[in-house]
mmCIF file of all heavy atoms in Angstrom:
data_model
loop_
_atom_site.group_PDB
_atom_site.id
_atom_site.type_symbol
_atom_site.label_atom_id
_atom_site.label_comp_id
_atom_site.label_asym_id
_atom_site.label_seq_id
_atom_site.Cartn_x
_atom_site.Cartn_y
_atom_site.Cartn_z
ATOM 1 N N THR A 4 -0.549 9.041 -0.389
ATOM 2 C CA THR A 4 -0.583 10.170 -1.319
ATOM 3 C C THR A 4 0.790 10.814 -1.512
ATOM 4 O O THR A 4 1.024 11.451 -2.522
ATOM 5 C CB THR A 4 -1.563 11.247 -0.827
ATOM 6 O OG1 THR A 4 -1.242 11.583 0.528
ATOM 7 C CG2 THR A 4 -2.987 10.770 -0.917
ATOM 8 N N ILE A 7 2.520 9.645 -4.774
ATOM 9 C CA ILE A 7 1.902 9.943 -6.071
ATOM 10 C C ILE A 7 2.896 10.660 -6.972
ATOM 11 O O ILE A 7 3.582 11.588 -6.556
ATOM 12 C CB ILE A 7 0.619 10.781 -5.882
ATOM 13 C CG1 ILE A 7 -0.486 9.900 -5.302
ATOM 14 C CG2 ILE A 7 0.172 11.413 -7.192
ATOM 15 C CD1 ILE A 7 -1.792 10.612 -5.050
ATOM 16 N N ARG A 8 2.989 10.180 -8.220
ATOM 17 C CA ARG A 8 3.851 10.792 -9.233
ATOM 18 C C ARG A 8 3.225 10.532 -10.601
ATOM 19 O O ARG A 8 2.389 9.652 -10.754
ATOM 20 C CB ARG A 8 5.269 10.226 -9.166
ATOM 21 C CG ARG A 8 5.345 8.745 -9.454
ATOM 22 C CD ARG A 8 6.723 8.154 -9.194
ATOM 23 N NE ARG A 8 6.769 6.751 -9.525
ATOM 24 C CZ ARG A 8 6.288 5.762 -8.790
ATOM 25 N NH1 ARG A 8 5.703 6.025 -7.645
ATOM 26 N NH2 ARG A 8 6.376 4.519 -9.187
ATOM 27 N N ASN A 9 3.635 11.293 -11.603
ATOM 28 C CA ASN A 9 3.120 11.081 -12.955
ATOM 29 C C ASN A 9 3.523 9.701 -13.453
ATOM 30 O O ASN A 9 4.652 9.272 -13.273
ATOM 31 C CB ASN A 9 3.653 12.140 -13.918
ATOM 32 C CG ASN A 9 2.980 13.476 -13.725
ATOM 33 O OD1 ASN A 9 1.909 13.567 -13.133
ATOM 34 N ND2 ASN A 9 3.599 14.520 -14.227
ATOM 35 N N GLY A 10 2.569 9.003 -14.078
ATOM 36 C CA GLY A 10 2.846 7.673 -14.613
ATOM 37 C C GLY A 10 2.563 6.542 -13.651
ATOM 38 O O GLY A 10 2.580 5.376 -14.052
ATOM 39 N N ILE A 22 -1.883 7.910 -13.323
ATOM 40 C CA ILE A 22 -1.889 9.318 -12.922
ATOM 41 C C ILE A 22 -1.183 10.118 -14.012
ATOM 42 O O ILE A 22 -0.016 9.874 -14.312
ATOM 43 C CB ILE A 22 -1.217 9.511 -11.557
ATOM 44 C CG1 ILE A 22 -2.032 8.789 -10.486
ATOM 45 C CG2 ILE A 22 -1.056 10.992 -11.234
ATOM 46 C CD1 ILE A 22 -1.415 8.741 -9.118
ATOM 47 N N ILE A 23 -1.912 11.066 -14.627
ATOM 48 C CA ILE A 23 -1.305 11.862 -15.693
ATOM 49 C C ILE A 23 -0.974 13.279 -15.233
ATOM 50 O O ILE A 23 -0.199 13.961 -15.877
ATOM 51 C CB ILE A 23 -2.193 11.898 -16.960
ATOM 52 C CG1 ILE A 23 -3.605 12.355 -16.640
ATOM 53 C CG2 ILE A 23 -2.216 10.552 -17.634
ATOM 54 C CD1 ILE A 23 -4.490 12.525 -17.870
ATOM 55 N N GLU A 24 -1.555 13.691 -14.106
ATOM 56 C CA GLU A 24 -1.286 15.018 -13.570
ATOM 57 C C GLU A 24 -1.626 15.024 -12.088
ATOM 58 O O GLU A 24 -2.583 14.370 -11.682
ATOM 59 C CB GLU A 24 -2.197 16.023 -14.289
ATOM 60 C CG GLU A 24 -1.591 17.366 -14.559
ATOM 61 C CD GLU A 24 -2.548 18.226 -15.384
ATOM 62 O OE1 GLU A 24 -2.555 18.102 -16.611
ATOM 63 O OE2 GLU A 24 -3.291 19.002 -14.757
ATOM 64 N N PHE A 25 -0.839 15.736 -11.279
ATOM 65 C CA PHE A 25 -1.176 15.835 -9.855
ATOM 66 C C PHE A 25 -0.665 17.143 -9.291
ATOM 67 O O PHE A 25 0.234 17.773 -9.856
ATOM 68 C CB PHE A 25 -0.603 14.651 -9.056
ATOM 69 C CG PHE A 25 0.885 14.705 -8.858
ATOM 70 C CD1 PHE A 25 1.436 15.221 -7.695
ATOM 71 C CD2 PHE A 25 1.751 14.256 -9.845
ATOM 72 C CE1 PHE A 25 2.801 15.281 -7.512
ATOM 73 C CE2 PHE A 25 3.119 14.314 -9.667
ATOM 74 C CZ PHE A 25 3.648 14.827 -8.509
ATOM 75 N N LEU A 26 -1.257 17.557 -8.177
ATOM 76 C CA LEU A 26 -0.853 18.785 -7.508
ATOM 77 C C LEU A 26 -1.096 18.625 -6.013
ATOM 78 O O LEU A 26 -2.224 18.372 -5.592
ATOM 79 C CB LEU A 26 -1.673 19.972 -8.046
ATOM 80 C CG LEU A 26 -1.416 21.326 -7.398
ATOM 81 C CD1 LEU A 26 -0.004 21.807 -7.714
ATOM 82 C CD2 LEU A 26 -2.439 22.328 -7.862
ATOM 83 N N HIS A 27 -0.030 18.752 -5.215
ATOM 84 C CA HIS A 27 -0.165 18.731 -3.758
ATOM 85 C C HIS A 27 -0.631 20.124 -3.326
ATOM 86 O O HIS A 27 -0.015 21.119 -3.678
ATOM 87 C CB HIS A 27 1.179 18.416 -3.072
ATOM 88 C CG HIS A 27 1.587 16.985 -3.199
ATOM 89 N ND1 HIS A 27 1.124 15.998 -2.364
ATOM 90 C CD2 HIS A 27 2.417 16.365 -4.070
ATOM 91 C CE1 HIS A 27 1.646 14.847 -2.705
ATOM 92 N NE2 HIS A 27 2.432 15.035 -3.746
ATOM 93 N N VAL A 37 -4.368 16.115 -2.279
ATOM 94 C CA VAL A 37 -3.711 15.964 -3.573
ATOM 95 C C VAL A 37 -4.781 15.927 -4.655
ATOM 96 O O VAL A 37 -5.650 15.063 -4.650
ATOM 97 C CB VAL A 37 -2.863 14.673 -3.631
ATOM 98 C CG1 VAL A 37 -2.175 14.549 -4.980
ATOM 99 C CG2 VAL A 37 -1.847 14.645 -2.508
ATOM 100 N N ARG A 38 -4.715 16.887 -5.582
ATOM 101 C CA ARG A 38 -5.649 16.949 -6.704
ATOM 102 C C ARG A 38 -5.006 16.194 -7.865
ATOM 103 O O ARG A 38 -3.864 16.470 -8.213
ATOM 104 C CB ARG A 38 -5.871 18.407 -7.076
ATOM 105 C CG ARG A 38 -7.130 18.663 -7.838
ATOM 106 C CD ARG A 38 -7.357 20.150 -8.077
ATOM 107 N NE ARG A 38 -7.957 20.769 -6.911
ATOM 108 C CZ ARG A 38 -7.560 21.916 -6.382
ATOM 109 N NH1 ARG A 38 -6.537 22.563 -6.884
ATOM 110 N NH2 ARG A 38 -8.172 22.427 -5.345
ATOM 111 N N THR A 39 -5.725 15.212 -8.458
ATOM 112 C CA THR A 39 -5.144 14.391 -9.514
ATOM 113 C C THR A 39 -6.046 14.319 -10.737
ATOM 114 O O THR A 39 -7.253 14.530 -10.649
ATOM 115 C CB THR A 39 -4.915 12.942 -9.039
ATOM 116 O OG1 THR A 39 -6.164 12.378 -8.664
ATOM 117 C CG2 THR A 39 -3.945 12.868 -7.891
ATOM 118 N N LYS A 40 -5.415 14.007 -11.882
ATOM 119 C CA LYS A 40 -6.129 13.635 -13.103
ATOM 120 C C LYS A 40 -5.739 12.196 -13.351
ATOM 121 O O LYS A 40 -4.556 11.865 -13.441
ATOM 122 C CB LYS A 40 -5.689 14.498 -14.277
ATOM 123 C CG LYS A 40 -6.532 15.692 -14.470
ATOM 124 C CD LYS A 40 -6.314 16.325 -15.809
ATOM 125 C CE LYS A 40 -7.220 17.515 -15.818
ATOM 126 N NZ LYS A 40 -7.193 18.391 -16.823
#
Side-chain angles (χ1 to χ4, degrees):
T4 52
I7 288 179
R8 63 188 182 282
N9 285 342
I22 296 173
I23 54 175
E24 216 175 276
F25 73 96
L26 177 67
H27 286 277
V37 181
R38 201 175 278 134
T39 60
K40 267 195 181 174

